[in-house]
Each structure stands twice: as structure tokens, then as C-alpha cells.
Amino acid sequence: MSKRILVIEDNPMVVKSLEFKLKKDGYTVVLAEDGRVAMQLLKDQEFDLVLTDLMLPFVNGNEIIEHIKNVNQEVPIIVLSTSTQEDIITDAFEMGVDDFITKPFSPSELSLRVKRTLAK
Amino acid sequence: MPTLYFNLEDWSLILKINLILSLIFSCIALFFVSLVLYLRIRKNIKESHRKHLEARFIDFVNAFLFDETINKSKALGDFKYSYIKSSYDHKILIKQILIFDENLKGESSLLIKEIFYGLGLYKFLLEDLQGYRWYYKARAMFAFSKLGIEVPENYVYPLLQSKRVELRQHAILYFLNTSKTDPLVFLDNLEGRLTLWQQVLIENSLKSFEVEIPDFARWLDHHEDSIVVFCIKMILSFNQFQNIPLLVDCLDHDAEEVRYQAIQSLQTMEVSEALQLMLTHFPEETAQNKRSILYAIKKMGTYKDLQTLVPHIHKEDENLQVDFYKISRCFEDQIPVKSLLNIETLSKDWEDFQEYSMQQSIGA
């Protein structure tokens, strides 16, 4: 069975690109366009990896990461964000994220990082 | 049963006027209601067309980027002839291309440029650049500079001399974004004033882009004073110490703002060798530059340097004299006035200080 990835992103263009690329790589992709939908999906379903933005409507990325870490420590998280500020990146790693990718991103590189994170 | 019968001839004049006015206003109201409805419907149709085209385009770009099985040139042709019908369609796609380019990098970014050329968007924007509407030109320049796509120089150089500040700004941004070897080449051809905002824009770009910082001495003899001022600031900002002798020469420049910036930069760089020239120029300088020279003495001079100005300072306005006094206090505790800024003792303090300065000037 293919690995399930939850993509939490509010930019429709980025969402579509991620969905296209990850499906092409053989993953099952579930999309959430805001933090509230993501929280609901995390309650109802199980995922092998979460790929999330930090700036999200209703519930921000940090709260989602905190929620995931409280419920299930094992789920790997990759952050995909426009932020390049050192403190934001270190905060994310301190919260337990497995990888941090900054936008603009290379889809091929993202694909490799997802693969590597899932293989851990 | 009475029949309804209107004979207009029987109506009084006032009733006839009322009737005509009512009809006119009804027509006007009807026209405006129809116009609002028409515009609303038109807007909705355009909006739904935009969403449809955006969705198709995002799917097309993703397939183009990630699906190795498709025939790319055929896909480009098909999309172009199926979906791009009007200039509005071009505008929608250009906006989407910019969003893609902003979010993706690497190989995808190169493919996005391939789409840009393949769909005729480059040609469309080039035509905008040749047009006469300034906002079309600004939009084209913005897109080209964001995508880092070069266009023939004869399209861009005239925009640097445009009367519209927006166009000049976008032309500057274009050069900064596209030139890899000489990002400030446009300064050679810039005729008009370089505004403070443009100076900030250029400085920030130079700091954030991966370009080689040019030697700013190249424009120190530019005919436009604002460019010389900018270059003096940049020599300081990028620590181009090799240009210090040229900065000292700027103390003799005809323009007050250039001399002011030279004093400021030399002071920050602590070039004490330049102080003697500043002191020589002091009597002929403007009030603002005199103040700068006083603060330059405070930073890199001595009390003796300050004292050489005593014969001149009495001829200056009181604000400058107060500055002179304040700076004197930094060197010499013995000056008889202790609290010139205290409003209660100000008059007395001031008299004391003037008397003291006079005595100093006559060597008492």
C-alpha cells in the first residue's frame, strides 16, 4: 500500500504542484487548504508523513506541529515555508520537525527529501 | 362604468412637465440599473473565465513540469491555440507564471520560462513595452525583471528617462535583476534624479542579490548630483576604502548635497586626514555642512581644531553656536557654562558662553 501524505498548504498553485509531483512518485496525497481542515483530518485519519506550511489560515503551522507531536510522536513532519529567518527554522526543529524546505523550492529536491524522511 | 381616457391636451402645463420629467428620470434610472446589471454579469463571466483558465493552466504547467511522457512542444501548441484568445487571457497567464516562478526553483524554473516563451507571453509583453501606455510598460518591465528575462536594451534604456517615476523604478529593478556582471550599468545612462526610495531599492538589491559589487568610484564624476551622493553612501556601505582619496576630493564638489555626504562618510570612516580641508572650507560652507563639520571634529578632531573656528562661529546663527558649545564641552570641562539646555538658566549660560568664546577668540 502506498504511503499517505497529508499536504497542508493554502496556495492553490503550490498545492496542485505538490499533489501532482507526490502522486507521480507513488504516494497517496490528502490535501488540506487550511489549519482547521488539517486538524480535522489528523483526528480522523492516519498519515505516514505531514508536509505543512507555517503561515496558514485559522490554525497556524506551529500549532499543527504541536498537535501532531502530542498525539503521535512517530509521524514525520516536513515544513515547507517562505520563511528564511533563522529563529523560525530553529524553532521548528526544536518542536521536532524532521526537515525544513524553503520556498522557492525545487520539486525534485522535495521529492528526494520526502523519500529520505519516510525511509528513516 | 367610467372609461379611462386621457386627453393630454386637457392637461395643465405643470402636469405635462411633470409627466415628461417622470419619463426622463424613469429612463435614466432604468439605464443605470441596466448598466449595473450588465457590469455585474460581465464581471461574473470574466471571473468565472479567469478561474477556469487558471485551473486549466495550473494543470497544464504541472503536467509540463512533472510528466515526462508528454510531448512538450505539442502540449504548448495545443494549450496556446485552445485557451489563449485575448489579451485578458495573456494577462491571467502572466500572473500565474509569476506565481509559479516565485514558488519553484531549479529545473522547474527553467521549464516555466520555456512555457513563458512557448505560449507567446514574451512576445505579448514585448509589444506592451513598445506601446504608449505607461502602465502596460511598467507591467511588462515588472514581469521581465521578476522572471530575470532579458529584453533588447533599446526597449529598456528609454524607460530610464521616463517622466513617470514608476517606469524609471521598474527599469532600475530590471537591470538589477537581470544583469549578472554589471547590475548598475544603467547609472551611466540615468539622466534624472535618483530618488531616496530608488537609492534604498538599489542598496537592498545589491545586498540581497548574488552579484559582484561594482566599484562606486566609477560614478563619482557623474553629472547628476543624486547619483554621486548615492555612490558616496555606497562607498561607505560596502567599505570601499580604496576610494577615500576620491571622497576627500568630493569636499570640493560644487553641489552642497555632495559635500554634505562626503563629510558624513569621511566622518563615519574616521578619515582624520580630511579634517584640515573641512576646517579650511568651514567659512564658505552652508549651515548644514558647517554643523556636519562640527560633528566631524567631535568624532575625529581635537579641541585645538575646534578652537580654529572660534573667529567664525560668532557670525553664525545661534543654533550653530549652541552646537559649537555642546561640542566644546566634550573636549573641555573648564568651559564656564554647565547647563545650556536648562531652560531656567539658559539666558545667563548663553551670555557666559559668548563672553568666554569672545575671550578665546582674542586670545585672552
Side-chain angles (χ1 to χ4, degrees), chain B residues 311-329:
Chain B
H312 310 289
I313 205 75
H314 297 293
K315 298 166 199 158
E316 303 299 334
D317 70 68
E318 289 196 352
N319 286 332
L320 203 65
Q321 291 191 34
V322 170
D323 281 334
F324 181 86
Y325 162 73
K326 282 197 265 180
I327 292 162
S328 302
R329 283 291 311 276

Side-chain angles (χ1 to χ4, degrees), chain A residues 11-14 16-17 20-21 24 103-109, chain B residues 58-59 62-63 66-68 99-105 107-108:
Chain A
N11 180 335
M13 181 248 116
V14 176
K16 279 275 182 185
S17 294
F20 205 98
K21 180 68 182 160
K24 198 103 189 59
K103 293 179 197 167
F105 65 98
S106 156
S108 321
E109 186 190 330
Chain B
I58 289 174
D59 288 343
N62 282 319
F66 307 124
D67 191 350
E68 291 87 11
I99 298 173
F100 268 103
D101 190 67
E102 203 173 271
N103 284 286
L104 301 178
K105 67 175 181 184
E107 197 195 342
S108 304

Side-chain angles (χ1 to χ4, degrees), chain B residues 49-50 52-64 70-85 89-90 92-94 96-97 100 115-116 118-121:
Chain B
H49 172 70
R50 183 184 64 79
H52 177 257
L53 185 59
E54 276 179 8
R56 292 285 76 77
F57 185 64
I58 289 174
D59 288 343
F60 164 73
V61 174
N62 282 319
F64 194 90
I70 64 161
N71 179 340
K72 292 193 171 168
S73 53
K74 186 179 177 300
L76 273 173
D78 288 348
F79 189 87
K80 186 176 175 182
Y81 294 109
S82 308
Y83 293 106
I84 309 178
K85 311 275 185 208
D89 294 341
H90 280 92
I92 294 168
L93 300 189
I94 288 164
Q96 288 303 308
I97 285 272
F100 268 103
I115 295 172
F116 180 76
L119 294 182
L121 303 178

Side-chain angles (χ1 to χ4, degrees), chain B residues 332-346:
Chain B
E332 179 61 79
D333 289 340
Q334 299 307 311
I335 292 174
V337 187
K338 298 295 179 199
S339 51
L340 195 64
L341 296 177
N342 185 343
I343 197 72
E344 288 162 12
T345 60
L346 182 66

Side-chain angles (χ1 to χ4, degrees), chain B residues 238-250:
Chain B
F238 291 100
N239 296 324
Q240 294 184 344
F241 292 105
Q242 74 277 14
N243 293 324
I244 283 176
L246 296 169
L247 287 192
V248 176
D249 291 346
C250 286

